[in-house]
Amino acid sequence: MSGTDLLLHGFAGTGRSWDAVIQAAGDPQWRPNAPDLPGHGNADGAPAGGIPGIAASLADAYRPTGTLAGYSMGGRITLQMALDHPGCAEWLVLVSMSPGIEDPGERARRREADDELAARFEQMAPEEVADLWLSRPLFAADPQDAQELAREQILACEPEGLARALRALGPGEMEPLWDRLPELELPVTIVAGERDVRYREMAERMAALIPGAEVVVIPGAGHALPREAPGELAALLAPAAG
C-alpha cells in the first residue's frame, strides 16, 4: 500500500506516543502524520463536535490516503472517520479500542464517572494527573519502561486540556458504532494485547461484524501497545509505507 498515513494517539498521550513505533520500523521513507489531538500536547483549542467533529476535521486536515491507525481513544476516532468518510484510507488499523458502550445506562454512568475524573484533573498538577491515570487497572501491570513513557506523555499535556478532552471524547460521550461496523468496506486489522482480555474479546466480536477483518493478538502485551510493543506494531504497520 502507499499514500499518506495517519496515526492517532490515545487519551493522555501526544503524537509522540508513536515515536517508538516509527523508530522501530527503521524505514526513513515511512513518515506518517501523528498529530496531537485536541486537549493534548501542543494542540490548540477545545474538542469540538465530539468524536464525529474531530474525525471530520482530521479527515479534512490530513486527507489520509494510506493507513489510518488509532490507539484507544485514537482508535475510536479513526473508526468514526472510516465510517463517516468512506474512501479516506486504504487500510484501517484499530489498536486496543472499543466501538462504544452499547447500554444507555452504562454509558450514562461512564459519562458521569469521566466528568468526575475530569473535575479532579482540573484541581491537580500534571504529576498528580500522571499518578492517578497510571494507577488505573488498565495500566497498573505495565512494564516500568512503558509506565515511564506514559508519564512523559502525560506531563506534556495540561490537566485542563485533558479534562476537556475526557468530557468531549470519552466513551460515555460516544455514540456506539457497533451497528455500523458492517458498513466498513476497506481492509481492517484489529490489534489487542494478550493480557488485555476485555479488549481481546472485543476485537474478536468486532471482527465477526466487519467483512474480512483480521485480528492480531500480540503475545504477552497489555492495553498500551504503542508503548509496550512498538516493534510488533512497526512490523504490522510499516509494510504499508512501501
Side-chain angles (χ1 to χ4, degrees):
M1 293 183 188
S2 61
T4 303
D5 297 342
L6 179 63
L7 312 180
L8 300 185
H9 63 79
F11 179 76
T14 71
R16 298 204 64 181
S17 299
W18 292 99
D19 280 3
V21 176
I22 296 170
Q23 291 167 7
D27 182 357
Q29 301 302 314
W30 188 46
R31 298 176 181 234
N33 290 308
D36 293 347
L37 295 172
H40 297 76
N42 295 317
D44 295 328
I51 286 180
I54 296 301
S57 64
L58 289 168
D60 183 62
Y62 290 96
R63 301 185 183 279
T65 57
T67 300
L68 180 58
Y71 158 65
S72 196
M73 179 187 76
R76 298 197 299 274
I77 296 170
T78 57
L79 175 59
Q80 188 84 56
M81 193 185 308
L83 287 167
D84 291 351
H85 306 274
C88 72
E90 293 182 348
W91 182 31
L92 177 63
V93 182
L94 303 170
V95 181
S96 303
M97 60 78 66
S98 162
I101 301 171
E102 295 167 282
D103 180 75
E106 183 182 351
R107 196 159 64 248
R109 289 188 291 273
R110 177 58 184 264
R111 184 165 57 248
E112 182 178 350
D114 284 348
D115 187 62
E116 292 175 358
L117 182 58
R120 294 182 68 183
F121 284 174
E122 290 170 331
Q123 304 302 316
M124 289 178 166
E127 294 81 2
E128 295 172 311
V129 172
D131 289 340
L132 178 60
W133 186 249
L134 294 178
S135 70
R136 296 168 73 87
L138 205 57
F139 309 114
D142 287 356
Q144 184 63 34
D145 57 346
Q147 286 261 351
E148 290 172 358
L149 284 171
R151 180 173 296 276
E152 178 182 318
Q153 294 297 307
I154 296 169
L155 295 181
C157 302
E158 294 292 336
E160 294 82 3
L162 292 179
R164 291 193 299 270
L166 187 57
R167 289 190 177 108
L169 306 174
E173 283 295 330
M174 178 183 180
E175 189 68 26
L177 297 172
W178 286 97
D179 289 347
R180 295 188 61 190
L181 293 179
E183 297 175 24
L184 292 168
E185 296 182 350
L186 74 173
V188 178
T189 300
I190 309 165
V191 190
E194 181 183 22
R195 292 190 291 106
D196 196 13
V197 176
R198 176 169 171 252
Y199 283 85
R200 195 179 74 221
E201 293 174 349
M202 205 175 306
E204 296 288 352
R205 184 184 166 202
M206 290 170 62
L209 296 170
I210 302 171
E214 173 191 20
V215 174
V216 174
V217 176
I218 296 183
H223 185 76
L225 295 179
R227 300 191 292 269
E228 286 190 68
E232 288 86 343
L233 283 184
L236 177 68
L237 293 170

